[in-house]
Amino acid sequence: MSNIAAKLRARRAEARTRRALNRAIDTAATSTVRQELIALAQARQPFMR
């Protein structure tokens, strides 16, 4: 049961990180910052943005 709970926690943390990164991309002050955040997202997970 602990393994399932750990997987759920990890999945929630991943979703939280993905939402925060998408929010940061959407509200980036400059296009340069936006591009760097997108590059970070792509390096982190291929399916993000």
Side-chain angles (χ1 to χ4, degrees):
M1 193 60 108
S2 176
N3 192 20
I4 294 172
K7 286 182 181 182
L8 284 174
R9 277 193 304 274
R11 188 170 178 175
R12 284 189 205 123
E14 183 68 32
R16 202 169 32 250
T17 301
R18 187 172 50 250
R19 282 192 307 269
L21 192 49
N22 284 337
R23 192 175 321 117
I25 290 169
D26 290 340
T27 61
T30 65
S31 62
T32 303
V33 173
R34 182 175 294 116
Q35 290 300 320
E36 291 205 14
L37 288 169
I38 290 171
L40 175 71
Q42 288 173 343
R44 207 172 169 300
Q45 294 270 336
F47 58 85
M48 290 180 71
R49 271 217 187 215

